[in-house]
Amino acid sequence: LVGDLVPAHLGVDVAIPQEYISEASQRLRTYKRISSAESEEALMHIHAEIEDRYGRIPEPVENLFAYGRLRKTAEQILVVSIDRAGGGVAIKLSQNAKVDPDKLRNYLSRNEGASFSPSGILRVDSGEDGPIRVARAALEEIRM
């Protein structure tokens, strides 16, 4: 699942700047390490290692880490896709999504502008936090 969870659909820059990591093979290795990290601890270790080696982490790379966290959460919950929609995000849940109905109901009642359609699409406003962080926070809140 999560076939449509690609950064371009969220309108967020997750590219590692060439000025930050100049060697193409090291950039590719870094993408692979972040995308295959299995835990928050692993991501924190990679983050510290990259910052130690290359200096202060630029925003697109921070976005890449946030995207990695979102992707992992979406896989665990069985999300089909996440896309930018208007001023927010549309999260398409699979029929077998690991979502707690009571938590979803509570989330919808506390978040003005959030909605859930019969076809399994949760719409959430992005606000100041941006689509990646808002989508992950919503998923974390409604998961079983």
Side-chain angles (χ1 to χ4, degrees):
L1 291 169
V2 199
D4 291 340
L5 182 53
V6 292
H9 290 183
L10 295 172
V12 177
D13 182 6
V14 295
I16 300 172
Q18 192 172 345
E19 309 80 59
Y20 186 62
I21 300 178
S22 58
E23 195 176 311
S25 63
Q26 282 301 101
R27 277 197 312 279
L28 287 173
R29 184 172 173 269
T30 302
Y31 282 118
K32 186 170 177 65
R33 289 183 67 208
I34 293 170
S35 70
S36 63
E38 288 298 320
S39 66
E40 180 61 28
E41 293 78 32
L43 279 171
M44 289 169 57
H45 177 77
I46 296 165
H47 189 280
E49 192 179 300
I50 291 170
E51 192 167 34
D52 187 50
R53 184 169 180 182
Y54 299 105
R56 191 177 151 277
I57 296 181
E59 185 178 359
V61 180
E62 291 290 2
N63 290 341
L64 181 60
F65 276 97
Y67 174 74
R69 289 179 179 98
L70 171 61
R71 185 174 183 87
K72 191 61 60 192
T73 302
E75 286 171 357
Q76 293 166 351
I77 295 175
L78 304 178
V79 168
V80 175
S81 65
I82 302 176
D83 293 293
R84 193 148 202 169
V89 291
I91 303 169
K92 173 99 171 102
L93 301 171
S94 73
Q95 286 186 324
N96 304 324
K98 297 177 181 175
V99 171
D100 181 315
D102 291 330
K103 288 181 179 179
L104 176 59
R105 217 175 355 268
N106 290 338
Y107 180 83
L108 292 169
S109 68
R110 283 193 326 276
N111 291 276
E112 194 176 320
S115 65
F116 187 70
S117 73
S119 59
I121 298 174
L122 174 63
R123 294 186 186 278
V124 184
D125 290 334
S126 285
E128 299 290 310
D129 291 333
I132 291 176
R133 286 169 184 82
V134 165
R136 180 159 183 258
L139 290 174
E140 289 289 349
E141 223 175 297
I142 66 171
R143 75 187 311 168
M144 284 186 164

